[in-house]
């Protein structure tokens, strides 16, 4: 009887120690997961910021200025445009 | 030792307490009972308290315990973005640092403080004031800073200065679309324009989660359910950023050229009723709203009303045609250039003589129009005006759109009926005017206008039918004449596309009278005239550089805006254009 109790006592001891370890691991891993999630959030914010920045670099005002001043382009008028029929729209084989 | 003493010693040893007369005091039996009861009661109180703490009232202690390790984290929802019809960002939220301090913790040298003030753009005195209150546990130093600046602030290494992330709106199209997009306040709530109109949709709802933190502040466990943040919905506008920008530029240039006070342009897509552009000048930069005046903030195209003047004449001609009272070639005697109605005289700018109905519109003859209008019932005119949207609040999801003024027909006196036929005695915004002209552009239907992108063109019949298609086509022909040689606005012509439209010029009303030296010039038209795709309305307020006629001031803006917009929409020119494409390829030598 005593032996069985001793055995059970030992089992209980190991089980508790194992629980402590598992709980510790769980928390450690969760902390890592959370850190990774935060990083994902941060990168997402950064992405949005850069996207907004890209958009700010491509405003109509800047495009127009660059086209006119740097690239010496002019606004196209129908007089300098050749209008062609969309071949794909009017059917294949033409 | 003496025997007597010995005896006495023995007697002392054998003393019996119970029988000692000294001790045999009369202890009342209740005393011990009382003590037992007292101890018992004490135990009961303790037990009761224990039960209370452990079972009945344990919530308080649980809460207190939880407070020591559980933290609620806010999951901020981001505000939706506003895009144009092609997905270009007009407004977007970016996360930026806001700098705050715990004043009593701040330890900085004089030099550090000076640099901090410079980085934050604060006067040193103001920074000193913010940091000098020793009782304050929190003070904003500067909200919504740029990221690189915060990094510089961090590099100063001052204790007690922290950052919080906040969202700031960025408006990439800046002043060109400022009135349309609007702006938000520092708390990210919409204040104007689309930002205000769609505040509910854009806003979203913050979420939250409960977590357990360890002593290092790391999150180690989630508790309970997580409330996911609901991010704001993106709003796709019908506006084309390029058309908007172009329209803004043109009206800005026109205002500068004519030394005017202000100007507006509205571009509507005839097939869908979408607003392609709605630009006003003067404008403002929505990212920097210091020192703004009301004049800059006003969305004139929607909030300013004026008497539509000559631009009303085509409606009268249309109704006269619709009811079979006239045909486009019916002659009308406009000589001697004036007409008297109940004692008041209405004059033409130039006397004309006999004109056809089409010529009345082309030459913009007041007398001719009044003669047509006086054959109509007051109710007929009122109904026509109401149906095309005058005196009606525009069904537009936009704050501040005004109704304009159209009095009930029962109160019209004959002279008022006459003046209203050429656009005086009622008022409308430029936007209302543009929308009313869709009745001609869409073969007799007015369509509901929309700021939001529509998935498909509106089917014929989905608008409100006001005129027969033949009538609308006949009026379009008249509008083409008005914008052609011999009309009032030949400057509205544009290369490659046929246009039609009507000018308006009026003395500005000041108080009860009209100012003799202040004008307002406008033009409303459409293109291509055979099968219109767009309606464009242009208004210039107080041109004061010599010319002030709508045909000289507003029509050129119309011409340029039509040209660019149709090109961007990929509409093929309907007029023959003399090609100016030169092939100057030089034979390459090998």
């Amino acid at each position: 009887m005593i032996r069985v109790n001793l055995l059970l006592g030992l089992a209980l001891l190991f089980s508790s120690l194992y629980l402590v370890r598992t709980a510790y691991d769980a928390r450690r891993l969760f902390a890592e997961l959370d850190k990774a999630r935060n990083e994902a959030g941060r990168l997402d914010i950064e992405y949005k910021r850069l996207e907004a920045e890209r958009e700010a670099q491509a405003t109509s005002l800047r495009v127009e200025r660059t086209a006119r001043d740097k690239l010496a382009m002019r606004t196209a008028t129908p007089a300098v445009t050749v209008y062609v029929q969309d071949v794909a729209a009017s059917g294949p084989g033409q | 030792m003496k025997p007597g003493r010995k005896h006495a010693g023995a007697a002392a040893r054998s003393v019996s307490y119970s029988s000692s007369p000294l001790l045999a005091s009369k202890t009342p039996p209740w005393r011990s009972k009382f003590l037992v009861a007292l101890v018992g009661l004490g135990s009961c109180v303790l037990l009761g308290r224990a039960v209370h703490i452990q079972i009945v009232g344990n919530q308080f202690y649980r809460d207190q315990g939880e407070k020591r390790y559980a933290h609620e984290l806010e999951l901020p929802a981001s505000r939706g973005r506003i895009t144009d019809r092609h997905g270009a960002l007009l407004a977007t939220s970016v996360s930026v640092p806001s700098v705050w301090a715990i004043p009593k913790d701040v330890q900085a040298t004089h030099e550090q403080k000076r640099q901090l003030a410079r980085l934050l753009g604060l006067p040193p005195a103001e920074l000193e004031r913010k940091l000098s209150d020793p009782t304050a546990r929190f003070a904003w130093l500067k909200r919504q800073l740029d990221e690189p600046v915060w990094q510089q602030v961090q590099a100063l290494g001052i204790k007690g200065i922290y950052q919080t992330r906040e969202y700031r709106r960025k408006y990439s199209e800046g002043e060109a679309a400022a009135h349309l997009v609007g702006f938000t306040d520092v708390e990210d709530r919409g204040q104007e324009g689309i930002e205000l109109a769609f505040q509910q949709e854009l806003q979203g709802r913050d979420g939250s989660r409960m977590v357990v933190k360890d002593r290092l502040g790391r999150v180690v466990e989630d508790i309970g359910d997580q409330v996911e943040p609901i991010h704001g919905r993106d709003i796709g506008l019908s506006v084309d950023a390029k058309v908007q920008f172009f329209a803004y530029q043109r009206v800005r240039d026109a205002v500068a050229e004519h030394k005017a006070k202000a100007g507006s342009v509205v571009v509507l897509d005839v097939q869908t009723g979408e607003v392609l552009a709605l630009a006003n000048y003067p404008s403002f930069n929505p990212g920097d709203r210091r020192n703004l005046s009301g004049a800059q903030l006003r969305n004139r195209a929607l909030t300013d009303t004026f008497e539509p003047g000559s631009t009303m004449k085509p409606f009268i001609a249309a109704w006269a045609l619709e009811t079979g009272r006239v045909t486009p070639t019916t002659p009308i005697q406009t000589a001697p250039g004036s007409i008297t109605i109940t004692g008041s005289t209405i004059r033409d700018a130039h006397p004309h003589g006999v004109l056809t109905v089409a010529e009345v519109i082309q030459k913009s003859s007041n007398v001719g129009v009044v003669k047509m209008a006086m054959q109509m019932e007051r109710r007929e005119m009122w109904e026509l005006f109401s149906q095309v949207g005058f005196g009606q609040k525009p069904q537009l999801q936009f704050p501040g759109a005004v109704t304009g003024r159209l009095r009930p027909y029962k109160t019209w006196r004959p002279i008022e009926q006459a003046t209203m036929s050429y656009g005086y005695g009622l008022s409308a915004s430029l936007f209302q005017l543009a929308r009313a002209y869709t009745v001609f552009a869409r073969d007799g239907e007015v369509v509901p206008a929309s700021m939001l992108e529509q998935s498909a063109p509106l089917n014929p019949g989905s608008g409100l039918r006001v005129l027969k298609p033949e009538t609308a086509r006949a009026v379009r022909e008249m509008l083409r004449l008005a914008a052609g040689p011999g009309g009032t606005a030949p400057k509205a012509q544009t290369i490659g596309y046929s246009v039609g439209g009507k000018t308006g010029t009026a003395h500005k009303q000041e108080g009860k009278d009209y100012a003799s030296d202040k004008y307002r010039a406008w033009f409303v038209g459409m293109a291509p005239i055979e099968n219109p795709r767009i309606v464009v309305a242009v208004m210039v307020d107080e041109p004061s550089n010599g010319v002030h006629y709508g045909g000289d001031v507003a029509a050129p803006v119309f011409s340029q805006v039509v040209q660019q917009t149709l090109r961007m929409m990929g509409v093929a020119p309907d007029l023959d254009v003399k090609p100016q494409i030169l092939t100057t390829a030089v034979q390459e030598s090998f």
Side-chain angles (χ1 to χ4, degrees):
Chain A
M1 192 63 198
I2 290 174
R3 223 183 250 175
V4 174
N5 278 349
L6 209 65
L7 213 66
L8 286 176
L10 268 178
L12 182 67
L13 187 71
F14 278 117
S15 157
S16 351
L17 286 175
Y18 188 67
L19 176 70
V20 168
R21 192 185 154 69
T22 325
Y24 171 72
D25 276 351
R27 293 190 158 197
R28 191 175 49 79
L29 289 171
F30 192 87
E32 266 172 41
L33 176 68
D34 195 67
K35 213 169 119 191
R37 275 195 199 134
N38 280 343
E39 182 69 8
R42 199 187 59 74
L43 289 174
D44 189 49
I45 286 170
E46 182 75 4
Y47 172 72
K48 287 219 173 106
R49 190 178 68 78
L50 291 172
E51 204 179 23
E53 210 133 283
R54 184 192 65 195
E55 208 72 18
Q57 294 297 321
T59 57
S60 308
L61 184 68
R62 191 161 181 270
V63 169
E64 156 130 0
R65 257 191 207 146
T66 314
R68 208 183 38 223
D69 300 345
K70 266 200 182 156
L71 306 174
M73 291 165 97
R74 283 178 301 140
T75 312
T77 64
V80 292
T81 310
V82 179
Y83 287 83
V84 288
Q85 283 291 319
D86 190 346
V87 179
S90 49
Q94 285 188 19
Chain B
M1 202 179 264
K2 286 179 183 172
R5 268 182 191 251
K6 197 178 177 182
H7 173 81
R13 222 179 295 129
S14 67
V15 69
S16 157
Y17 291 107
S18 57
S19 61
S20 159
L22 271 176
L23 292 169
S25 56
K26 288 275 187 290
T27 310
W30 60 265
R31 203 192 262 185
S32 59
K33 280 184 187 156
F34 173 73
L35 275 174
V36 169
L38 210 62
V39 170
L41 195 71
S43 309
C44 282
V45 168
L46 283 179
L47 197 70
R49 179 73 183 141
V51 167
H52 183 256
I53 289 174
Q54 295 286 342
I55 298 162
V56 184
N58 58 8
Q59 198 55 44
F60 172 77
Y61 295 95
R62 269 194 205 185
D63 291 350
Q64 284 297 316
E66 211 169 77
K67 263 190 201 168
R68 301 296 185 275
Y69 61 83
H71 298 262
E72 184 171 5
L73 297 184
E74 193 176 84
L75 302 172
S78 66
R79 192 176 171 85
R81 302 184 294 185
I82 300 175
T83 60
D84 85 337
R85 60 186 302 117
H86 303 302
L89 295 179
L90 297 177
T92 179
S93 285
V94 288
S95 166
V96 290
S98 280
V99 182
W100 55 279
I102 302 176
K104 67 180 167 70
D105 288 358
V106 174
Q107 292 166 355
T109 62
H110 189 69
E111 174 60 22
Q112 278 179 322
K113 279 188 186 171
R114 204 182 56 76
Q115 285 197 0
L116 181 65
R118 187 180 53 80
L119 284 173
L120 299 180
L122 291 172
E126 168 136 11
L127 181 71
E128 201 56 50
R129 191 182 55 74
K130 284 185 176 187
L131 293 179
S132 60
D133 184 358
T135 55
R137 300 193 47 163
F138 178 90
W140 282 119
L141 294 186
K142 180 91 178 180
R143 293 182 74 171
Q144 306 190 345
L145 211 61
D146 287 329
E147 189 72 47
V149 180
W150 164 245
Q151 280 164 9
Q152 281 175 282
V153 170
Q154 252 183 326
L156 289 177
I158 303 173
K159 252 191 177 177
I161 289 188
Y162 306 93
Q163 65 145 345
T164 305
R165 304 304 292 196
E166 283 193 302
Y167 282 111
R168 183 173 65 186
R169 286 304 249 188
K170 270 201 129 158
Y171 300 97
S172 42
E173 283 299 324
E175 55 184 34
H179 295 109
L180 193 74
V181 177
F183 52 81
T184 60
D185 62 4
V186 77
E187 305 289 352
D188 230 16
R189 284 183 302 250
Q191 298 294 296
E192 276 290 349
I194 294 292
E195 293 270 32
L196 176 60
F198 291 93
Q199 166 67 11
Q200 283 296 322
E201 287 90 336
L202 285 165
Q203 178 183 32
R205 203 162 58 228
D206 289 351
S208 65
R209 61 190 277 224
M210 290 294 287
V211 296
V212 176
K213 280 190 177 179
D214 68 1
R215 90 195 146 81
L216 296 173
R218 292 179 307 196
V219 172
V220 292
E221 213 178 305
D222 269 326
I223 318 172
D225 286 336
Q226 185 168 333
V227 184
E228 290 289 339
I230 301 167
H231 293 294
R233 197 159 67 80
D234 289 354
I235 300 287
L237 296 187
S238 60
V239 171
D240 185 322
K242 289 201 195 87
V243 175
Q244 171 78 21
F245 170 72
F246 192 80
Y248 172 73
Q249 254 196 339
R250 288 289 87 83
V251 72
R252 188 192 58 195
D253 294 352
V255 166
E257 184 189 336
H258 298 288
K259 297 203 170 76
K261 236 175 74 181
S264 303
V265 180
V266 177
V267 183
L268 295 181
D269 185 320
V270 170
Q271 291 181 352
T272 58
E274 291 170 312
V275 178
L276 290 179
L278 195 153
N280 299 285
Y281 184 85
S283 184
F284 58 94
N285 179 1
D288 178 15
R289 298 193 301 276
R290 282 169 298 183
N291 316 321
L292 276 188
S293 65
Q296 280 169 289
L297 279 172
R298 235 176 35 241
N299 191 344
R300 290 157 197 277
L302 281 167
T303 63
D304 281 20
T305 60
F306 55 91
E307 297 181 303
S310 306
T311 37
M312 289 305 283
K313 290 173 186 168
F315 293 101
I316 297 297
W319 195 247
L321 289 173
E322 177 82 4
T323 51
R325 289 183 172 104
V326 295
T327 66
T329 51
T330 305
I332 295 178
Q333 175 60 270
T334 68
S338 66
I339 182 171
T340 304
I341 291 176
T342 59
S344 306
T345 305
I346 292 162
R347 287 193 175 77
D348 276 341
H350 314 282
H352 292 294
V354 178
L355 296 175
T356 64
V357 170
E359 282 169 337
V360 164
I361 299 303
Q362 184 188 13
K363 309 277 184 204
S364 197
S365 160
N366 292 343
V367 176
V369 172
V370 168
K371 281 195 169 170
M372 280 189 270
M374 294 320 275
Q375 298 171 16
M376 296 175 192
E377 297 280 325
R378 291 181 299 181
R379 190 177 52 80
E380 279 178 81
M381 271 174 73
W382 184 87
E383 276 175 1
L384 171 71
F385 290 173
S386 300
Q387 280 180 332
V388 297
F390 292 106
Q392 310 289 314
K393 196 166 176 62
Q395 297 294 312
L396 196 67
Q397 283 177 293
F398 202 85
V402 293
T403 308
R405 201 167 110 98
L406 177 66
R407 292 196 352 247
Y409 61 88
K410 281 187 179 150
T411 66
W412 294 5
R413 288 176 291 140
I415 180 65
E416 286 172 331
Q417 185 183 355
T419 59
M420 268 185 233
S421 71
Y422 61 95
Y424 289 87
L426 73 166
S427 70
S429 64
L430 190 68
F431 179 82
Q432 282 179 307
L433 208 51
R435 182 173 165 261
Y437 265 63
T438 59
V439 77
F440 304 129
R442 263 185 83 92
D443 284 349
E445 274 181 3
V446 264
V447 285
S450 171
M451 284 279 185
L452 299 183
E453 198 182 348
Q454 304 294 307
S455 46
L458 297 166
N459 296 322
S462 57
L464 174 68
R465 179 152 294 285
V466 181
L467 302 172
K468 290 199 279 278
E470 312 84 84
T471 313
R473 277 196 282 271
V475 177
R476 282 214 299 272
E477 191 53 37
M478 296 178 196
L479 292 174
R480 169 149 78 176
L481 291 174
T488 50
K491 287 185 184 166
Q493 293 296 327
T494 192
I495 306 170
Y497 299 104
S498 57
V499 298
K502 190 77 196 73
T503 57
T505 311
H507 288 287
K508 276 185 81 171
Q509 218 172 355
E510 285 202 331
K512 287 203 158 180
D513 269 322
Y514 291 95
S516 62
D517 55 343
K518 288 183 181 167
Y519 299 89
R520 191 192 292 271
W522 63 97
F523 186 90
V524 190
M526 59 201 68
I529 198 73
E530 291 301 328
N531 182 20
R533 282 298 305 273
I534 52 170
V535 167
V536 178
V538 181
M539 188 270 289
V540 178
D541 192 9
E542 284 188 34
S544 53
N545 200 13
V547 288
H548 57 256
Y549 284 109
D552 296 322
V553 176
V557 178
F558 168 87
S559 157
Q560 290 164 323
V561 171
V562 163
Q563 169 75 236
Q564 279 300 310
T565 309
L566 290 180
R567 253 192 71 79
M568 283 174 199
M569 292 170 83
V571 178
D574 62 337
L575 294 184
D576 283 336
V577 182
K578 189 166 158 278
Q580 298 174 355
I581 303 165
L582 304 172
T583 45
T584 53
V586 180
Q587 186 73 50
E588 278 185 65
S589 52
F590 292 96

